[in-house]
Amino acid sequence: MISRDLTFVLGGARSGKSLYAEQLANDSSLAVTYIATARVVGDAEFSARIAHHRERRPAHWGLAEASVDLAGAVAQYDAPGRCILIDCLTLWLANLLCPPDGDALPSDRYLAHFTTFEAALVEAKGKIIVVSNEIGLGVVPLGAATRLYVDELGRLNQRIAALSTHVTMMVAGLPLALKTPGGA
C-alpha cells in the first residue's frame, strides 16, 4: 500500500490545471511551498504569464525556484504537515533538454534527473501536488527535437502517474479523476 500523498494534475494548455492544483493546495490547510520550474526569460508575454501565477497565489505561500534541481527542492521543502506544489514538469523538462547555454544534456544526465526526482517523491513525508501538460494528444511533431520532447514528457508523466495516489486530468476547467486511492 502506498502511504505517500502525491497528486498529479495533467491537462492541456489553458485547461485549468494550475488553478485546480492551487485550489487543492489551499484546501489542504497546510503550509504551502510553491516550486516554480520556469526559467526567467526576456520574453514579455511569458513574463506576464509568470506574473499572473504570482498574483493568483496567496501571499503567505512560500516560493522556491527549481529550473533544474527539482529533487533537491523537494528534499529541502518537504516535511510532515506541509504541502509542496510543483508547477510544472513541462517547463522543467524544457529546461533539461534546452538549457540556456544551448547545449542539450545528454540522455544519461536528464534521465538521472528523472530518477532523483522520483526518489524524492517516494521519500516525501508531506503532501505533494505536481502539475504537467498532456501534450501527446495531437499530431506527431515534424522535428527530431520536438519529437524527443513529446516522447520524454509522455514517459515522465507515466512515471509520475504510476507513483501518484491521485491523478486528475483537467479538460475545459473540469477535473476528471483518472486514479484515486484504491482505484485504477
Side-chain angles (χ1 to χ4, degrees):
M1 180 172 160
I2 299 172
S3 61
R4 68 184 151 274
D5 186 355
L6 176 57
T7 299
F8 192 34
V9 180
L10 296 156
R14 297 290 170 248
S15 63
K17 62 192 172 297
S18 292
L19 181 59
Y20 180 76
E22 291 165 6
Q23 289 171 340
L24 290 175
N26 197 53
D27 292 349
S28 76
S29 299
L30 301 171
V32 176
T33 299
Y34 183 101
I35 299 179
T37 62
R39 190 171 55 217
V40 177
V41 294
D43 178 315
E45 183 272 336
F46 192 69
S47 295
R49 287 175 181 254
I50 292 171
H52 176 71
H53 277 257
R54 279 188 190 129
E55 291 165 6
R56 200 170 59 199
R57 290 192 302 264
H60 64 276
W61 284 10
L63 172 66
E65 295 179 355
S67 62
V68 174
D69 186 13
L70 194 48
V74 169
Q76 181 177 352
Y77 295 100
D78 175 52
R82 296 194 51 83
C83 177
I84 293 175
L85 169 53
I86 300 167
D87 198 357
C88 70
L89 295 187
T90 315
L91 293 173
W92 180 57
L93 178 60
N95 295 336
L96 294 175
L97 294 180
C98 305
D101 62 12
D103 291 330
L105 290 178
S107 65
D108 60 337
R109 296 253 332 266
Y110 73 80
L111 293 174
H113 282 282
F114 289 9
T115 301
T116 57
F117 176 57
E118 283 179 280
L121 294 178
V122 168
E123 296 299 319
K125 309 283 187 277
K127 179 178 188 62
I128 310 282
I129 303 167
V130 180
V131 176
S132 187
N133 285 59
E134 177 52 67
I135 63 171
L137 299 173
V139 298
V140 176
L142 292 176
T146 308
R147 281 191 301 274
L148 173 68
Y149 180 80
V150 170
D151 290 349
E152 291 304 329
L153 185 61
R155 289 182 185 108
L156 177 60
N157 285 348
Q158 288 181 49
R159 291 168 77 160
I160 303 310
L163 293 175
S164 297
T165 50
H166 299 82
V167 179
T168 300
M169 176 77 160
M170 296 299 297
V171 177
L174 301 173
L176 303 169
L178 301 180
K179 183 178 181 181
T180 58

